[in-house]
Amino acid sequence: MRLRAIVLALATLALGLQALPAHAASATATFVKVADWGSGFEGKVTVTNGTTTALPSWNVQFDVPSGFTIPSAWDAVMTRNGQHYTFTNPSWASPLAPGASASFGFNGSPGNFPGITGCTLNGSSCGGGTQPGVPGAPGAVSATTTGSAITLSWGAAGGTVTGYRVYEGTAVKATTTGTTATISGLAACETHTYTVKAYNAQGESPGRDATATTTGCTGGGGTLPRHFLTGYWHNFVNPAVELKLSAVPNEYDLVAIAFGEATANAGEVVFSVDPGLATAVGGYTDAQFRADVAALHQRGKKVILSVGGEAGRVQVASAAAATRFADSVYALMQSYGFDGVDIDLENGLNATYMAQALRSLRAKAGSDLIITMAPQTIDMQSTGMEYFKLALSIKDILTVVHTQFYNSGSMLGCDQAQAYGQGSVNFMTALACIQLENGLRPDQVALGLPAGPGAAGGGVVAPSLVNQALDCLAKRTSCGTFVPPRAYPDIRGAMTWSINWDASNNWQFSKTVKPHLQGMP
């Protein structure tokens, strides 16, 4: 009797369980932000048929926040009503079998898209929810510096963000959940370029770059402008117009006297007014030259002695020659009033001993010493070249490098993609980029060009192209087919060979380039 009662009870319980409603499977739609590049984003919605019967058609609707739009979609038919979008399966799509999925994608703008809201599938909640796609790019990055650290700050990225990584090249220098990071342990006067990326489980955002230099730079320059024009003045006679130093126009901020000469004593430099030039200008003594240097100083100009030139034979290849160079150049500075020295050794140099000579000169002359360099393009193709090695080794006291972007033929740029022809915006920008991306600060890089016809055997450009190249480097505008990887607003300026050739060409170079430099930020 008791066994019969138990059996009846179990049967009743089974009937009761069968009467309970089953949890119905449903179709879902899931949104993922695939990519976000700051100015736009890509989204994807996946419709999954979780039921046991085929889904003949689907209709996905959702809203996007005010200010965002979706201009295009694929694998779906899209209609819009304000911020509300509807997507239906295309006519060629087959019914969605049980357990099968179909996806459609779309592009939207702007970037930093936070996600969709109010999603429905065939009139019911999408069910799949929204999943965190790749975050948007961080906001603009700013930097503050000390002598041993760079602190970066940036705007928060849109979307779901787990944290931020700070890269230098491919190396991760910092990881943080906030919007600031400090990279410490740096040396004084070091320039670093960092890239900040937001990340989550779906991946990393596009990056935001920032370049900064630690404090402690002691390169000379006195009162040289932020962007300035350098010109060489001939202390010899050639087909260009002969000029006294007093005839240098106000457009030139820095005047390089060409040239200091070598003696039989290695490293020693001498200078005096060339007798042929003195005759050509109707008489010119060393005393008059000194007075003209002083008059240029009164006009706010700087005057330096350029050492070398095409025919120059100054050699500094030993410690003794380095000492002799520093002593003799300093004596000429005291005698004539020169503000510094320009290294224009076109017949080779020894980076180790020339660096020793320049540091010794700096110790004598003090922190206002101007040091410039005028390498040929081939000398700055890689950091392994002696000129490039010299520039990097004295970076803390170097004022500017104005590479001669002429008499070169075609040369590779920093993209290593092709040989760019001289006399073009591409040539100037792509070759300057080599220096800018390999250790020199933008304020230490200037463009050296001929002043006009006759000044060089090749690479003569219209001065307007020099202005375009400066804008391309400073703002990434007015570029040719080569566009630098970033903007260098601190690009220092331009140099020309020469003031005399500029006079021969009706001052077109200085009257075109100098006003443009003054208008740069």
Side-chain angles (χ1 to χ4, degrees), residues 152-165:
L152 304 172
S153 301
W154 56 88
T160 300
V161 177
T162 301
Y164 299 89
R165 298 186 183 105

Side-chain angles (χ1 to χ4, degrees), residues 39 151 187 245 355 368:
S39 60
T151 298
L245 199 58
D368 285 337

Side-chain angles (χ1 to χ4, degrees), residues 117-169:
T117 57
C119 182
T120 62
L121 169 60
N122 291 347
S124 300
S125 172
C126 283
T130 63
Q131 303 211 356
V134 175
V141 184
S142 61
T144 58
T145 63
T146 67
S148 61
I150 296 175
T151 298
L152 304 172
S153 301
W154 56 88
T160 300
V161 177
T162 301
Y164 299 89
R165 298 186 183 105
V166 178
Y167 290 87
E168 185 170 19

Side-chain angles (χ1 to χ4, degrees), residues 412-426:
L412 288 171
C414 69
D415 56 352
Q416 297 291 293
Q418 67 182 81
Y420 293 102
Q422 64 181 349
S424 66
V425 171
N426 282 340

Side-chain angles (χ1 to χ4, degrees), residues 27 47-49 51 53-58 94-98 121-122:
V47 177
T48 301
N49 183 6
T51 71
T53 60
L55 192 65
S57 63
W58 45 261
S94 301
L96 203 57
L121 169 60
N122 291 347

